[in-house]
Amino acid sequence: MRRKLLATTFVTALLAACAPLQPLPGSAAVVRTASPYFEVDGRLSATDGERAANGQIEWRHAQSADRWTAYSPLGQIVARLDSSAAGAELMFADGRRQRAASASELLPALIGVDLPLNRLPGWIQASPQPGAEVRSLDDSGRPSLVIDQGWRIDYTEYLNPAADALPRRLEISRGDARVRLVIDRWTLQP
């Protein structure tokens, strides 16, 4: 009887270890809707194991256009990436320019990591898109760990304890690719 109980306990523990993480009892997921227009200023460090970038970043996002401005750790503009439905252009401080059909093609040259740009607006607002798996919530019901298209998004700090607070710190990773973002200022527009 004791062996049967021990075997049952072992199988139950094994199955529980394979199950997705569930939020803590009493914490309900907050419904979060991503804003289609926002501005963020912050600090970024990124690496893909071969390339690396760090410094300040500004991102102005709209539904059909984006502008990324990257600064060196000392505050000089390193590059600016503009994109719209017509295409994208990356302009470096030394005058060099690169053009592409989309910002996704040029983003690795700017930040050193090839991120899925179509998912990034939802990720930084802690508003997972359909298909993303919310693995855990914090005590306020906000995502603390999301897995999306093989990427791991860890929300390590929010601006304040409110349930609708925006992220302040997040880490995005997959394989050798790692991005750490500290957002110093958020501006949301309706």
Side-chain angles (χ1 to χ4, degrees):
M1 182 69 170
R2 182 178 165 137
R3 283 185 182 187
K4 189 174 183 179
L5 179 60
L6 186 59
T8 303
T9 303
F10 176 75
V11 170
T12 302
L14 185 60
L15 290 174
C18 296
L21 296 175
Q22 298 296 319
L24 296 173
S27 67
V30 173
V31 176
R32 301 179 70 91
T33 303
S35 174
Y37 305 96
F38 63 81
E39 297 179 7
V40 294
D41 293 336
R43 293 162 280 146
L44 177 133
S45 67
T47 183
D48 68 357
E50 295 177 17
R51 298 174 290 185
N54 63 51
Q56 294 179 321
I57 192 110
E58 292 177 357
W59 181 15
R60 310 296 178 250
H61 173 73
Q63 285 182 322
S64 60
D66 286 284
R67 172 172 278 176
W68 291 72
T69 306
Y71 299 87
S72 74
L74 298 176
Q76 292 93 3
I77 292 178
V78 174
R80 188 177 76 212
L81 173 59
D82 288 312
S83 70
S84 67
E89 181 176 46
L90 178 58
M91 296 156 285
F92 294 94
D94 64 7
R96 291 179 295 132
R97 294 174 183 262
Q98 294 179 6
R99 290 183 175 81
S102 72
S104 294
E105 297 174 52
L106 299 174
L107 189 62
L110 181 69
I111 66 169
V113 174
D114 187 8
L115 290 171
L117 194 54
N118 63 328
R119 308 296 267 188
L120 199 54
W123 289 356
I124 71 161
Q125 295 180 69
S127 179
Q129 296 174 3
E133 184 181 345
V134 178
R135 290 273 181 98
S136 64
L137 302 172
D138 68 7
D139 292 339
S140 297
R142 305 170 298 200
S144 59
L145 172 60
V146 173
I147 304 296
D148 190 5
Q149 297 182 341
W151 290 88
R152 177 187 176 109
I153 305 95
D154 288 290
Y155 298 93
T156 59
E157 182 182 344
Y158 282 85
L159 291 175
N160 59 56
D164 62 349
L166 291 163
R168 167 127 167 78
R169 294 178 186 265
L170 60 147
E171 297 178 8
I172 302 168
S173 60
R174 183 174 79 179
D176 289 337
R178 303 254 184 277
V179 176
R180 288 189 177 105
L181 183 61
V182 177
I183 301 170
D184 297 317
R185 185 182 65 83
W186 275 99
T187 304
L188 295 180
Q189 300 172 4

